[in-house]
Amino acid sequence: METIRNYVYAMYGRDPEVISVSAYTVASGSPPTVVTTVVPDVVLVVVQTSLMSDITSYYIKDHIRIQECCLHPDRLEQWIRSGARREVIHWILQGEIVMDRNLYMEGLRNRLLEFPEEMRDQKLIVEFDRFMKSFLQSKQFLLEGHLLDAYSNILDSLCHWARIAILEEGIYPEELIWAQVRKINPGVYKFYEELASNHESLEKRIQLVVLACEFSVMSKMESCCRILLDVLRSREEAWSLQELMQIPQLFELQLDLSLLLNKLARKSLVREVVEQQDDPDKLLLQLKYTV
């Protein structure tokens, strides 16, 4: 870590564009392993100009492999909200703050540790959205007899179900998701075991988990989609899909709103409204949504 600290001070100590620098070492003080000799340490550089953002560099200094990521605060927090790079939360929480002008990184770390309800709701809808995609894909592959593809997708669904279960406890999902969920929700872990090692045929194992997902996770739809439902409740007028896609708190999460709205409507949690297009020459009806 001393090598990284010295590098950071020399490289960024006088750079006014750099807000904060955090360094995360893969296994500080541990003996070399396959992971520590291949996976680089991470230097996360937060910059205040977008021109320097989204730049990743790899280099070796004093025999230490280093991955350096330069990010604007907006992009960093967008990654956190959307889960686009799950590892970034680990870097922030476990890394050492080497530089921190205006205490930006310390404030961000404290906010992550507090895990406010708004942030938890954002992660719940992201995980539910990804769960739905892989779950429906698995069902389709199962119907078509593509068992290996059905298996990989239902396993992916189980991973998202596990993260939902952990988030409901007010905890961040870790990279070792199954070790974590085994302590928090043994029921979800049991379905993982059944899928992976049950003596039934592969098709039977997939069918079992599909049924479990159908009944257990679908019942969480309203609580997982609270952010979307709150937007729909924010005005009396029905919303078009295009309007919803322009709402910043939804747009940043990169959701499949069409899929979610369709499922919410089938569960009678939202109501579909059919309206005539403004242009009388277009014989099209527009579908809108309200609660």
Side-chain angles (χ1 to χ4, degrees):
M1 180 60 80
E2 191 63 32
T3 296
I4 295 177
R5 285 197 204 98
N6 293 337
Y7 166 77
V8 169
Y9 293 141
M11 189 73 178
Y12 297 114
R14 298 180 181 274
D15 191 337
E17 297 297 330
V18 175
I19 301 171
S20 301
V21 181
S22 177
Y24 170 74
T25 57
V26 176
S28 180
S30 300
T33 67
V34 173
V35 173
T36 58
T37 55
V38 176
V39 179
D41 293 340
V42 176
V43 174
L44 179 60
V45 183
V46 182
V47 294
Q48 60 186 1
T49 172
S50 57
L51 293 176
M52 295 173 62
S53 185
D54 297 342
I55 298 174
T56 300
S57 306
Y58 294 88
Y59 49 85
I60 296 175
K61 183 171 179 60
D62 297 343
H63 308 292
I64 299 173
R65 294 177 180 269
I66 299 173
Q67 173 188 347
E68 183 176 286
C69 297
C70 292
L71 293 170
H72 187 272
D74 290 346
R75 174 53 61 90
L76 175 59
E77 296 188 33
Q78 192 270 331
W79 277 7
I80 292 170
R81 286 190 293 270
S82 68
R85 295 283 298 274
R86 299 183 191 279
E87 67 273 21
V88 76
I89 292 177
H90 194 64
W91 296 346
I92 294 169
L93 293 179
Q94 302 298 324
E96 176 183 318
I97 299 175
V98 182
M99 280 177 51
D100 201 17
R101 296 190 177 106
N102 303 320
L103 300 179
Y104 169 79
M105 187 65 72
E106 183 179 339
L108 179 59
R109 176 183 284 180
N110 290 337
R111 188 150 53 92
L112 290 173
L113 289 171
E114 291 168 2
F115 204 12
E117 184 177 356
E118 179 185 1
M119 189 178 292
R120 188 161 62 248
D121 287 346
Q122 290 170 341
K123 294 205 162 292
L124 277 170
I125 195 171
V126 167
E127 292 299 338
F128 187 79
D129 175 74
R130 293 173 182 174
F131 162 82
M132 284 299 310
K133 290 176 185 174
S134 55
F135 171 67
L136 294 174
Q137 188 67 76
S138 179
K139 286 184 69 176
Q140 184 62 39
F141 283 142
L142 186 60
L143 287 172
E144 295 172 354
H146 303 302
L147 296 184
L148 291 177
D149 296 293
Y151 175 86
S152 63
N153 276 274
I154 203 62
L155 179 58
D156 194 31
S157 298
L158 268 180
C159 290
H160 294 301
W161 182 1
R163 292 190 182 99
I164 288 170
I166 293 166
L167 288 166
E168 288 176 329
E169 296 297 319
I171 304 170
Y172 274 109
E174 298 172 358
E175 292 185 1
L176 299 175
I177 187 71
W178 293 113
Q180 187 183 19
V181 82
R182 187 175 190 177
K183 302 174 184 176
I184 294 171
N185 192 320
V188 178
Y189 182 82
K190 182 65 176 176
F191 284 118
Y192 170 68
E193 282 189 322
E194 291 290 329
L195 181 65
S197 58
N198 192 297
H199 295 301
E200 296 280 358
S201 67
L202 180 59
E203 183 175 13
K204 290 291 185 183
R205 282 182 276 151
I206 297 170
Q207 289 172 344
L208 171 67
V209 178
V210 165
L211 285 173
C213 290
E214 192 89 63
F215 289 104
S216 298
V217 185
M218 291 304 185
S219 65
K220 304 177 186 293
M221 186 180 298
E222 184 172 8
S223 60
C224 288
C225 296
R226 185 179 295 121
I227 286 180
L228 176 55
L229 293 171
D230 285 346
V231 171
L232 293 172
R233 292 190 188 102
S234 66
R235 74 181 194 191
E236 293 185 4
E237 182 185 353
W239 294 78
S240 68
L241 180 60
Q242 290 73 22
E243 288 175 321
L244 290 169
M245 291 175 68
Q246 294 172 7
I247 300 295
Q249 62 262 42
L250 297 178
F251 172 77
E252 291 178 349
L253 300 179
Q254 302 175 2
L255 304 170
D256 189 338
L257 289 176
S258 178
L259 173 63
L260 292 177
L261 289 165
N262 179 271
K263 291 300 176 182
L264 288 166
R266 292 192 175 195
K267 288 287 185 180
S268 300
L269 294 171
V270 304
R271 183 164 53 90
E272 294 179 333
V273 179
V274 178
E275 294 185 1
Q276 179 69 49
Q277 292 273 32
D278 294 334
D279 188 347
D281 294 331
K282 293 182 179 179
L283 301 178
L284 297 176
L285 299 176
Q286 187 176 28
L287 194 60
K288 293 188 174 184
Y289 302 89
T290 187
V291 292

